[in-house]
Amino acid sequence: MREYDIVIIGGGPAGLAAAASAKRNGVDSILILERDKELGGILNQCIHNGFGLHTFKEELTGPEYAARFIDQVEELGIEYKLHTMVMDITHEKKITAMNREEGMFEIQAKAIVLAMGCRERARGALNIPGYRPAGIYSAGTAQRLVNREGFMPGREVVILGSGDIGLIMARRMTFEGANVKVVAELMPYSGGLKRNIVQCLDDYGIPLKLSHTVVDIRGKERVTGVTIAQVDKSGRPIPGTEEDYECDTLLLSCGLIPENELSRSAGVEMSPVTSGPLVNESLETSIEGVFACGNVLHVHDLVDFVSEEAAAAGRNAAVYVKGERTAAEGKVVRMNPTDGVRYTVPASIRPDQMDDQLTVRFRVGGVYKNCYVCVYFDDECVSRRKRRWWLPGDGRGEAGEGEAFRAARP
């Protein structure tokens, strides 16, 4: 059995940043396991710009952003395996993986960093009535087809869901000559960043219909049209509000789900809200020595925040492996998100283990204007910050602000 100090599962932006950080913090024995044919993850198909403003202070495309971290991994001499699928993780941090060249093999790690990213919510989870003809794609699949395979999914397009990928694909399909007729969103607010609504829909005259959903798909061999309808506060279609659109393609951009099958099978304690692991201030899961970061932990708005979080996970994994972490003593502070805050990452803090400053990320569950973000400790308000607005689809609150607040050591 091969042995490594740190094994990182996933070679996307989170895995790459975690590996580089662990290496810079004094750990040499590191292995990245990636199931795809190349490093970089989803960024390789995100050819639009807007990446790197926080991390590199310049605007990059997705492949350019990924290349920066791939170059770091290469320069640091970090080992990685491509086309390698991880099958199982145990409490003892034994990893079972397989690839074409080596077959099935086992690796013993001292620490593991989970960085598997997320996947799109498929049609089967959306309960859309109608037939199952050709022409129905997730927005991410369409993005890969157009940007990497050079294949146009269709010419007359309706998009369900206003997640960032769906908004960006509305613009991308328009660039390629398609007619994007409408973007329908079930919720009364968009699931994407405000800048993407403006740059991808408003600038091209593409209508966004909030509180609407698809209630019928027509066509047997190929999509010939869809019917959308307005929904009430319970999400039920309102009779008499139906609108028919002729189209040959329906793109679904209805949310992202962290890839946590491995985490669950290993016995990691999961959050029912994020569908990702519950972690402490070190981004360590309920299994000692197993850390999580990036979209496998919770879905981020910006890849820059993924890299920041992953660097912390890599650093903490290195501290753990080198035995520099002191024994946890004293109380554990449980984060209790209420009054509009859906979750926090981390979910708990050990004050004696945290750095002088700790980033706590969170997301709200509704639209709030002229609101306050308050932090209480033993019923005492220790922080109170005003925000002009806050949206569930934009964890940043206000333009230019972080999607988190900094907590100082008590």
Coordinates of all heavy atoms in Angstrom, one line a residue, residues 276-336:
G276 N -23.4 19.5 2.4 CA -21.9 19.3 2.5 C -21.6 18.9 3.9 O -22.4 18.9 4.8
P277 N -20.3 18.6 4.2 CA -19.9 18.3 5.5 C -20.0 19.4 6.5 O -19.9 20.6 6.2 CB -18.4 17.9 5.3 CG -18.2 17.6 3.9 CD -19.2 18.5 3.2
L278 N -20.3 19.1 7.8 CA -20.2 20.0 8.9 C -18.7 20.1 9.3 O -18.1 19.1 9.5 CB -21.0 19.6 10.0 CG -22.5 19.6 9.8 CD1 -23.3 18.9 11.0 CD2 -23.0 21.1 9.7
V279 N -18.2 21.3 9.3 CA -16.7 21.5 9.6 C -16.5 22.4 10.8 O -17.4 23.2 11.1 CB -15.9 22.0 8.4 CG1 -16.0 20.9 7.3 CG2 -16.5 23.3 7.9
N280 N -15.4 22.3 11.4 CA -15.0 23.3 12.5 C -14.1 24.4 11.9 O -14.0 24.6 10.7 CB -14.3 22.5 13.6 CG -13.0 21.8 13.2 OD1 -12.4 22.2 12.2 ND2 -12.7 20.8 13.9
E281 N -13.5 25.1 12.8 CA -12.7 26.3 12.4 C -11.6 26.0 11.5 O -11.1 26.8 10.8 CB -12.3 27.1 13.6 CG -11.1 26.4 14.4 CD -11.4 25.1 15.0 OE1 -12.6 24.9 15.4 OE2 -10.5 24.3 15.1
S282 N -11.1 24.7 11.6 CA -10.0 24.3 10.7 C -10.4 23.7 9.4 O -9.6 23.1 8.7 CB -9.1 23.2 11.5 OG -8.6 23.8 12.7
L283 N -11.8 23.7 9.1 CA -12.4 23.1 8.0 C -12.2 21.6 8.0 O -12.2 20.9 7.0 CB -11.8 23.6 6.7 CG -12.0 25.1 6.4 CD1 -11.3 25.6 5.2 CD2 -13.5 25.5 6.4
E284 N -12.1 21.1 9.3 CA -12.0 19.6 9.5 C -13.4 19.1 9.7 O -14.2 19.6 10.4 CB -11.1 19.4 10.7 CG -10.8 17.9 11.0 CD -9.9 17.8 12.2 OE1 -10.0 18.7 13.1 OE2 -9.1 16.9 12.3
T285 N -13.7 17.9 9.1 CA -15.0 17.3 9.2 C -15.1 16.5 10.6 O -14.2 16.6 11.4 CB -15.2 16.3 8.1 OG1 -14.3 15.2 8.2 CG2 -14.9 17.0 6.7
S286 N -16.1 15.8 10.7 CA -16.3 15.0 12.0 C -15.3 13.9 12.1 O -15.2 13.3 13.2 CB -17.7 14.5 12.0 OG -18.0 13.6 10.9
I287 N -14.6 13.5 11.0 CA -13.6 12.5 11.0 C -12.2 13.3 11.2 O -11.9 14.1 10.3 CB -13.5 11.7 9.8 CG1 -14.9 10.9 9.6 CG2 -12.4 10.7 9.8 CD1 -14.9 10.1 8.3
E288 N -11.5 13.0 12.2 CA -10.2 13.7 12.5 C -9.3 13.5 11.3 O -9.1 12.4 10.8 CB -9.6 13.2 13.8 CG -8.3 13.9 14.1 CD -7.7 13.3 15.4 OE1 -8.5 12.9 16.3 OE2 -6.4 13.4 15.5
G289 N -8.7 14.6 10.9 CA -7.7 14.5 9.8 C -8.3 14.5 8.4 O -7.6 14.4 7.4
V290 N -9.6 14.6 8.3 CA -10.3 14.7 7.0 C -10.9 16.1 6.9 O -11.8 16.5 7.7 CB -11.4 13.7 6.8 CG1 -12.1 13.8 5.5 CG2 -10.8 12.3 6.9
F291 N -10.4 16.9 5.9 CA -10.8 18.3 5.7 C -11.6 18.4 4.5 O -11.6 17.6 3.6 CB -9.5 19.2 5.7 CG -8.7 19.1 6.9 CD1 -7.8 18.0 7.0 CD2 -8.7 20.0 7.9 CE1 -7.0 17.9 8.1 CE2 -7.9 19.9 9.0 CZ -7.0 18.9 9.1
A292 N -12.4 19.5 4.4 CA -13.2 19.8 3.2 C -13.2 21.2 2.8 O -13.0 22.1 3.7 CB -14.7 19.3 3.4
C293 N -13.2 21.5 1.5 CA -13.2 22.9 1.0 C -13.8 23.0 -0.3 O -14.0 22.0 -1.1 CB -11.7 23.4 1.0 SG -10.6 22.4 -0.1
G294 N -14.1 24.2 -0.7 CA -14.7 24.5 -2.0 C -16.2 24.1 -2.1 O -16.9 24.0 -1.1
N295 N -16.6 23.8 -3.3 CA -18.0 23.6 -3.5 C -18.5 22.2 -3.0 O -19.7 22.0 -2.9 CB -18.4 23.7 -5.0 CG -18.4 25.1 -5.5 OD1 -18.4 26.0 -4.7 ND2 -18.5 25.3 -6.8
V296 N -17.6 21.3 -2.6 CA -18.0 20.1 -2.0 C -18.5 20.4 -0.5 O -19.3 19.6 0.1 CB -16.9 19.1 -1.9 CG1 -15.9 19.4 -0.8 CG2 -17.4 17.7 -1.8
L297 N -18.1 21.5 0.0 CA -18.4 21.9 1.3 C -19.7 22.8 1.3 O -20.7 22.5 2.1 CB -17.3 22.7 2.0 CG -17.5 23.3 3.4 CD1 -17.8 22.2 4.4 CD2 -16.2 24.0 3.8
H298 N -19.8 23.8 0.5 CA -21.0 24.6 0.2 C -20.7 25.3 -1.1 O -19.6 25.6 -1.4 CB -21.3 25.5 1.4 CG -20.2 26.6 1.6 ND1 -20.4 27.9 1.5 CD2 -18.9 26.5 1.9 CE1 -19.3 28.6 1.7 NE2 -18.4 27.7 2.0
V299 N -21.8 25.6 -1.8 CA -21.6 26.2 -3.1 C -21.3 27.7 -2.9 O -22.0 28.5 -2.2 CB -22.9 26.1 -3.9 CG1 -22.8 26.8 -5.3 CG2 -23.3 24.6 -4.1
H300 N -20.2 28.1 -3.6 CA -19.7 29.5 -3.5 C -20.2 30.3 -4.7 O -20.5 29.8 -5.7 CB -18.1 29.5 -3.5 CG -17.5 28.8 -2.3 ND1 -17.7 27.5 -2.0 CD2 -16.7 29.4 -1.3 CE1 -17.0 27.2 -0.9 NE2 -16.4 28.3 -0.5
D301 N -20.1 31.6 -4.5 CA -20.5 32.6 -5.6 C -19.3 32.8 -6.5 O -19.5 32.8 -7.7 CB -20.9 33.9 -5.0 CG -22.2 33.9 -4.2 OD1 -23.1 33.2 -4.7 OD2 -22.2 34.4 -3.1
L302 N -18.1 32.9 -5.9 CA -16.9 33.2 -6.7 C -15.8 32.2 -6.5 O -15.6 31.7 -5.4 CB -16.3 34.6 -6.4 CG -17.3 35.8 -6.6 CD1 -16.6 37.1 -6.1 CD2 -17.7 35.9 -8.0
V303 N -15.1 31.8 -7.6 CA -14.0 30.8 -7.4 C -12.9 31.4 -6.6 O -12.1 30.7 -6.0 CB -13.5 30.4 -8.8 CG1 -12.7 31.5 -9.5 CG2 -12.6 29.1 -8.7
D304 N -12.7 32.7 -6.5 CA -11.7 33.3 -5.7 C -11.9 32.9 -4.2 O -11.0 32.7 -3.5 CB -11.8 34.9 -5.8 CG -11.5 35.3 -7.2 OD1 -12.4 35.2 -8.0 OD2 -10.4 35.8 -7.5
F305 N -13.2 32.9 -3.8 CA -13.5 32.5 -2.4 C -13.2 31.0 -2.2 O -12.8 30.6 -1.1 CB -14.9 32.8 -2.1 CG -15.3 34.2 -2.1 CD1 -16.6 34.6 -2.5 CD2 -14.3 35.2 -1.9 CE1 -16.9 36.0 -2.5 CE2 -14.7 36.5 -1.9 CZ -15.9 36.9 -2.2
V306 N -13.4 30.2 -3.3 CA -13.0 28.8 -3.2 C -11.5 28.6 -2.9 O -11.1 27.8 -2.1 CB -13.4 28.1 -4.5 CG1 -12.8 26.7 -4.6 CG2 -14.9 27.9 -4.7
S307 N -10.7 29.4 -3.7 CA -9.3 29.3 -3.5 C -8.8 29.7 -2.2 O -7.9 29.1 -1.5 CB -8.6 30.1 -4.6 OG -8.9 29.7 -5.9
E308 N -9.5 30.8 -1.6 CA -9.1 31.3 -0.3 C -9.4 30.2 0.7 O -8.6 30.0 1.6 CB -9.9 32.6 0.0 CG -9.7 33.1 1.3 CD -10.6 34.3 1.6 OE1 -10.8 35.1 0.7 OE2 -11.1 34.5 2.8
E309 N -10.6 29.6 0.6 CA -11.0 28.6 1.6 C -10.1 27.4 1.5 O -9.7 26.8 2.5 CB -12.5 28.2 1.3 CG -13.1 27.3 2.3 CD -14.5 27.1 2.0 OE1 -14.8 26.2 1.1 OE2 -15.4 27.7 2.6
A310 N -9.8 27.0 0.2 CA -9.0 25.8 0.0 C -7.6 26.0 0.6 O -7.0 25.0 1.1 CB -9.0 25.4 -1.5
A311 N -7.0 27.2 0.4 CA -5.7 27.4 0.9 C -5.7 27.2 2.5 O -4.7 26.7 3.0 CB -5.3 28.8 0.6
A312 N -6.8 27.7 3.1 CA -6.9 27.5 4.6 C -6.9 26.0 4.9 O -6.3 25.5 5.9 CB -8.1 28.2 5.1
A313 N -7.7 25.2 4.1 CA -7.8 23.8 4.4 C -6.5 23.1 4.2 O -6.1 22.2 5.0 CB -8.9 23.2 3.4
G314 N -5.7 23.5 3.1 CA -4.4 22.9 2.9 C -3.4 23.2 4.0 O -2.7 22.3 4.5
R315 N -3.5 24.4 4.5 CA -2.6 24.8 5.6 C -3.0 24.1 6.9 O -2.1 23.6 7.6 CB -2.8 26.4 5.8 CG -1.9 26.9 7.0 CD -2.0 28.4 7.1 NE -3.4 28.7 7.6 CZ -4.3 29.3 6.8 NH1 -4.0 29.6 5.6 NH2 -5.5 29.6 7.3
N316 N -4.2 23.9 7.1 CA -4.7 23.2 8.4 C -4.3 21.7 8.3 O -4.0 21.1 9.3 CB -6.1 23.4 8.6 CG -6.5 24.8 9.0 OD1 -5.7 25.6 9.6 ND2 -7.7 25.3 8.6
A317 N -4.4 21.2 7.1 CA -4.0 19.8 6.9 C -2.5 19.6 7.2 O -2.1 18.6 7.8 CB -4.4 19.3 5.5
A318 N -1.8 20.5 6.7 CA -0.3 20.5 6.9 C 0.0 20.6 8.4 O 0.9 19.8 8.9 CB 0.4 21.6 6.1
V319 N -0.6 21.5 9.1 CA -0.4 21.6 10.5 C -0.8 20.3 11.3 O -0.1 19.8 12.2 CB -1.3 22.8 11.1 CG1 -1.3 22.8 12.6 CG2 -0.8 24.1 10.6
Y320 N -1.9 19.7 10.8 CA -2.3 18.4 11.4 C -1.3 17.3 11.2 O -0.9 16.6 12.1 CB -3.6 18.0 10.8 CG -4.1 16.6 11.3 CD1 -4.7 16.4 12.5 CD2 -3.9 15.5 10.5 CE1 -5.2 15.2 12.9 CE2 -4.3 14.2 10.9 CZ -4.9 14.1 12.1 OH -5.3 12.8 12.5
V321 N -0.8 17.2 10.0 CA 0.2 16.1 9.6 C 1.5 16.3 10.4 O 2.1 15.3 10.8 CB 0.4 16.1 8.1 CG1 1.6 15.3 7.7 CG2 -0.8 15.6 7.4
K322 N 1.9 17.5 10.5 CA 3.2 17.8 11.2 C 3.1 17.7 12.7 O 4.1 17.8 13.4 CB 3.7 19.2 10.7 CG 4.1 19.2 9.3 CD 4.8 20.5 8.9 CE 3.9 21.7 9.1 NZ 4.6 23.0 8.8
G323 N 1.9 17.5 13.2 CA 1.7 17.4 14.6 C 1.9 18.7 15.4 O 2.2 18.7 16.6
E324 N 1.7 19.8 14.7 CA 1.8 21.1 15.3 C 0.6 21.6 16.0 O 0.6 22.6 16.7 CB 2.3 22.1 14.3 CG 3.7 21.8 13.7 CD 4.1 22.7 12.6 OE1 3.2 23.6 12.2 OE2 5.2 22.6 12.1
R325 N -0.5 20.9 15.8 CA -1.8 21.3 16.4 C -1.8 20.9 17.9 O -1.6 19.7 18.2 CB -3.0 20.7 15.7 CG -4.3 21.3 16.0 CD -5.4 20.9 15.1 NE -5.8 19.5 15.2 CZ -6.7 19.0 14.5 NH1 -7.3 19.6 13.5 NH2 -7.0 17.7 14.7
T326 N -2.2 21.8 18.8 CA -2.3 21.5 20.2 C -3.6 20.7 20.4 O -4.5 20.8 19.7 CB -2.3 22.8 21.0 OG1 -3.4 23.6 20.6 CG2 -1.0 23.6 20.8
A327 N -3.6 20.0 21.5 CA -4.8 19.2 21.9 C -5.9 20.2 22.2 O -5.8 21.2 22.8 CB -4.5 18.3 23.1
A328 N -7.1 19.8 21.6 CA -8.3 20.7 21.8 C -8.7 20.6 23.2 O -8.9 19.6 23.8 CB -9.4 20.2 20.9
E329 N -8.9 21.8 23.8 CA -9.3 21.9 25.2 C -10.3 23.0 25.3 O -10.4 23.9 24.4 CB -8.2 22.1 26.2 CG -7.1 21.0 26.2 CD -5.9 21.4 27.1 OE1 -6.0 22.5 27.6 OE2 -5.1 20.5 27.2
G330 N -11.1 23.0 26.3 CA -12.1 24.1 26.5 C -13.3 23.8 25.7 O -13.6 22.8 25.1
K331 N -14.2 24.9 25.7 CA -15.5 24.7 25.1 C -15.5 24.8 23.6 O -14.5 25.4 23.0 CB -16.4 25.8 25.7 CG -16.1 27.2 25.2 CD -17.0 28.3 25.9 CE -18.4 28.1 25.6 NZ -19.3 29.1 26.2
V332 N -16.5 24.3 23.0 CA -16.8 24.4 21.6 C -17.9 25.3 21.4 O -19.0 25.2 21.9 CB -17.1 23.0 20.9 CG1 -17.4 23.2 19.5 CG2 -15.9 22.1 21.1
V333 N -17.7 26.4 20.5 CA -18.8 27.3 20.3 C -19.5 26.9 19.0 O -19.0 26.7 18.0 CB -18.2 28.7 20.0 CG1 -19.3 29.7 19.6 CG2 -17.4 29.2 21.2
R334 N -20.8 26.6 19.2 CA -21.7 26.1 18.1 C -22.3 27.4 17.5 O -22.9 28.2 18.1 CB -22.8 25.2 18.7 CG -22.3 24.0 19.4 CD -21.7 23.0 18.4 NE -21.2 21.8 19.1 CZ -20.5 20.8 18.5 NH1 -20.2 20.9 17.3 NH2 -20.1 19.8 19.2
M335 N -22.2 27.4 16.2 CA -22.8 28.5 15.4 C -24.3 28.2 15.3 O -24.7 27.1 14.9 CB -22.1 28.6 14.0 CG -20.6 28.8 14.1 SD -20.1 30.4 14.9 CE -20.5 31.5 13.6
N336 N -25.1 29.2 15.5 CA -26.5 29.0 15.5 C -27.2 30.0 14.6 O -27.6 31.1 15.0 CB -27.1 29.1 16.9 CG -28.6 28.9 17.0 OD1 -29.2 28.2 16.1 ND2 -29.3 29.5 17.9

